Every structure is written in C-alpha cells, then in structure tokens.
Amino acid sequence: MSKRDYYDVLGVSKSSDDTEIKKAYRKMAKKYHPDLNKNNPDAAEKFKEVQEAYEVINDSEKRARYDQFGHAGVGDNGGFGGFGQGGGVEDIFDMFFGGGGGGGRRRRGPTRGSDLQYNLAITFEEAAFGAKKDLHIPRTETCSTCDGSGAKPGSSAKTCSKCNGRGTIQASQQTILGSFVQTRTCDACGGTGKKIETPCPDCRGRGQVRHERTVGVTIPPGVDTGSRLRMSGEGEAGELGGPPGDLFIKMTVKPHKIFKRRNDDIICEVPISIIQATLGDEIEVPTIDGRAKFTIPAGTQPGTSFRLKNKGIQHLNGYGRGDQHVIVKVVVPKKLNNEQKKHLKKFAEISGEDINPEQKSFFDKVKDAFSV
C-alpha cells in the first residue's frame, strides 16, 4: 500500500512555515493519540502516520529531500521515536501534561549532517585493477551566498526578542497535579536564539541549499560486490556550524563473460579438442593481464584444473594476488565425415578396444549389482 503525501497527512501546504507545521502536528496528534481515542481502532496507526510525516516535514534536510524526490528521498521513517528537530516526545508531554516538570529541551546547537550512500556498479577489470570515477551526488550543502547564516549578505541575524537569545521560553501552569514550569523551544526562532529579518535570497533563510556535486573517488584494486568505501565529509551538510556527514560508496561488480571470481582467485574454463587432451599441446589461455602460454600435458582428462600462480585478483589493502584456475573442457565433435570416422575406427582397432575400459568396468559393476 503506497504512503500518503506527508503534507496531506498534516493538512498543510508545501509553503507552510515551521509555526504552521508545528500547530498542525499538535492538532493531528491530539486527534489521533491512542490514549485519547481508545474507541477508535485506527487511532494508533493514524497517530504513527502523523508522527512519521512530522519527522520529515519539520526537518529542513529531510523536507528538502522529500520535496525533490518524494518518499524515496527520505527512506523508511516509520516507527515511534527518532523525531526531527523541535518536535516529538517532548511536544506530546507539553501538549498533555504541561511540560516535563521544569525540564524541557535545550537550545539547538551544531548538528552533524546525515550520511549518504551511493550504489556504484563497476566492471570486473575495474574491481581487479582499481579505477577513478566521478560521481554526481545530490546533497544538501552550506549556502555559499550567506555562508550558512541564513541572512542576506550585508545583514545579520539578531537576537530573538521573544526568548532573548535563550532559544527556550518558560511558562507556569496550574494542573490537578500542582504547578508546573513549562520549558519549551521558542517558536519564534526555532530554538536558535536568533531571528533573521532579511533572509538570504538563495537559501530563503535556511542556511542550506540543494546541489548536485561531482565527487572524485579512487577505487582500490581488489574490491568486490558488497565492498564499501567511506569518503569523510562528503555527506549532507551539518546545521548551525555542525560538521558534514560522510559518503559511503557501495560496490556491485558486473559479471564477466569469461572469468568468475572466488575470493581473490579467478576461475576460467578453457575448451580444448580431444586430440589436444590426448597428445598434449601448448595453448594460450586468457588472464586479466592478457594472454598467457600454458602447456596441456598428454592424457589430460575433462574437468582437470590447472593453477596459474599470481594471476588472480590483488588482495584488497594488502600485498600479493590470488591465483587463476584453468579448468579444461574437452570438446567432443558433434559431426564427423566418413574419413574421420574411418580413422577413429582404425584407432580403436589398433588399440584393441571395443569399449572404453573404464566404461566396461562400470557396466561390469552394474551387472554384478543386478545379478544378486
């Protein structure tokens, strides 16, 4: 079942500001809170849906990704807890119990940016020898116009007059349990303690913008499907001067037409003729380094495996290489002309064999097994 649009869930428009969103969230949370709607079997699910929508829409980073990519941009945000900035469990206590008994949240400070993951498909050769790639990463970055302040160049944020720069406001409230001091995030400045009167025209006061950035990455030799590289500081930008997150690159290696990989060894199946298997021959076998000469000994049986040392994959973050295993596949001709048949029959007569000795031994065993 597809998810509903988060703005529809909260009953707000895409242009709604933080105050409108928070007000709508409190209204919907109260409407569907399970403790206040015990006779409504759908209340718990609706309440969870409201929380999920608020977690995304109230977070500037997640909201930007959602506006651009929809639900795919924010992943799975379900579940209880893990709320975004300026909302969540504390808001519910504020709403029903008048605050946390004098506690409340602290003023917002620097927050580390989110990590990103990029799924990269590479060739067999790129995994074996390494490569350099330019990746195009959509991410949130600090606005270069205002340097992340959110204020228009030439102006600056001023101390919030409502909370006097504390980022929180307090109010005393009488309840049946006694008097409580309610401490909560200032709704005028969002807990920053600062008020932007002239927002930056590029980021509209958020201090962050969405960009597609080209990031160069060096893939080391020896990676395999499932390998993950970390690029420190190449993730989403942090908030309020916080450090950026990291970028993780997850590898998927495309299959090769000839080679197969087993750990750091390479498996390669090479076809040879009956004559080559019988008499032996010097053949060329493919390797990731190019063609290599190899001698097939006389009397080689189908399926025999030969090892070429140090012709495999380089050990990741280490020294040396794996090996290449050459498996011989004897190709039996499907069509013979009369002359070829004549010589094969002559060979059988000279050898004094009417049937393969191993096959004859096999049929003798079958005869013994069924004669009991």
Side-chain angles (χ1 to χ4, degrees):
M1 181 175 171
S2 59
K3 292 184 178 182
R4 292 174 59 198
D5 181 83
Y6 287 148
Y7 291 98
D8 290 341
V9 171
L10 296 178
V12 296
S13 66
K14 288 189 175 182
S15 60
S16 298
D17 58 23
D18 293 343
T19 301
E20 292 174 324
I21 291 171
K22 184 173 292 186
K23 183 178 179 181
Y25 164 69
R26 291 177 176 176
K27 179 181 177 182
M28 299 301 289
K30 188 173 183 179
K31 180 179 179 181
Y32 293 114
H33 195 284
D35 292 341
L36 302 178
N37 296 272
K38 295 182 179 181
N39 295 326
N40 184 356
D42 299 327
E45 195 63 30
K46 291 285 187 181
F47 185 65
K48 180 180 177 181
E49 186 181 42
V50 168
Q51 290 177 312
E52 179 179 333
Y54 181 69
E55 180 188 2
V56 174
I57 302 303
N58 190 55
D59 186 300
S60 58
E61 286 183 18
K62 294 179 180 178
R63 184 176 182 179
R65 293 201 299 268
Y66 179 75
D67 288 345
Q68 186 171 4
F69 302 106
H71 292 291
V74 293
D76 184 9
N77 293 293
F80 203 113
F83 290 94
Q85 302 150 353
V89 175
E90 292 89 345
D91 277 342
I92 296 174
F93 276 104
D94 289 345
M95 206 160 36
F96 299 116
F97 305 108
R105 287 161 291 163
R106 298 178 181 177
R107 175 175 170 173
R108 285 178 56 192
T111 305
R112 181 182 181 274
S114 300
D115 293 334
L116 296 176
Q117 178 171 295
Y118 188 95
N119 298 322
L120 178 63
I122 59 176
T123 65
F124 192 94
E125 290 81 2
E126 288 172 333
F129 298 111
K132 291 185 177 181
K133 295 282 188 179
D134 287 333
L135 309 182
H136 303 289
I137 310 294
R139 67 185 186 186
T140 301
E141 299 183 348
T142 300
C143 178
S144 60
T145 303
C146 65
D147 292 327
S149 69
K152 182 179 179 180
S155 66
S156 60
K158 297 183 178 181
T159 301
C160 177
S161 59
K162 188 169 184 177
C163 66
N164 294 321
R166 292 190 301 270
T168 58
I169 53 179
Q170 293 183 339
S172 178
Q173 184 175 358
Q174 287 293 132
T175 71
I176 58 174
L177 301 177
S179 178
F180 286 88
V181 176
Q182 179 182 357
T183 302
R184 61 191 309 158
T185 300
C186 176
D187 56 356
C189 65
T192 64
K194 299 288 185 180
K195 189 72 173 178
I196 299 173
E197 296 182 349
T198 309
C200 171
D202 290 342
C203 66
R204 295 181 296 177
R206 294 180 179 273
Q208 295 181 333
V209 291
R210 193 74 180 171
H211 274 314
E212 183 176 279
R213 181 71 63 183
T214 300
V215 178
V217 57
T218 299
I219 301 169
V223 298
D224 201 356
T225 294
S227 295
R228 206 167 69 143
L229 305 181
R230 174 187 175 188
M231 299 189 71
S232 180
E234 294 292 351
E236 301 276 23
E239 289 190 357
L240 302 176
D246 298 331
L247 171 64
F248 291 89
I249 303 168
K250 188 176 181 181
M251 304 291 174
T252 300
V253 181
K254 300 176 184 177
H256 196 275
K257 293 182 179 179
I258 299 175
F259 303 122
K260 293 183 179 180
R261 182 170 174 173
R262 184 176 63 199
N263 297 323
D264 287 339
D265 289 346
I266 292 177
I267 312 299
C268 178
E269 191 175 67
V270 177
I272 62 174
S273 68
I274 293 179
I275 304 302
Q276 289 174 309
T278 304
L279 302 180
D281 195 10
E282 183 179 76
I283 64 173
E284 285 189 341
V285 297
T287 72
I288 58 174
D289 300 310
R291 292 183 173 273
K293 290 186 177 181
F294 182 76
T295 300
I296 297 292
T300 294
Q301 299 300 307
T304 302
S305 178
F306 300 96
R307 185 175 67 167
L308 304 180
K309 290 185 177 181
N310 301 319
K311 291 293 184 181
I313 306 292
Q314 180 174 322
H315 302 314
L316 182 63
N317 300 325
Y319 299 97
R321 295 172 59 172
D323 301 326
Q324 177 168 324
H325 299 271
V326 178
I327 300 176
V328 171
K329 177 183 179 182
V330 178
V331 180
V332 178
K334 295 182 178 180
K335 293 183 179 180
L336 295 175
N337 58 35
N338 292 333
E339 186 70 15
Q340 290 170 324
K341 292 178 181 179
K342 174 183 173 182
H343 286 290
L344 281 176
K345 290 178 180 179
K346 185 67 175 177
F347 173 76
E349 292 175 3
I350 295 174
S351 301
E353 296 180 359
D354 293 330
I355 191 170
N356 184 299
E358 292 185 6
Q359 188 179 15
K360 184 176 182 180
S361 175
F362 170 76
F363 283 119
D364 287 341
K365 292 178 181 179
V366 172
K367 182 179 179 182
D368 293 340
F370 285 95
S371 61
V372 177

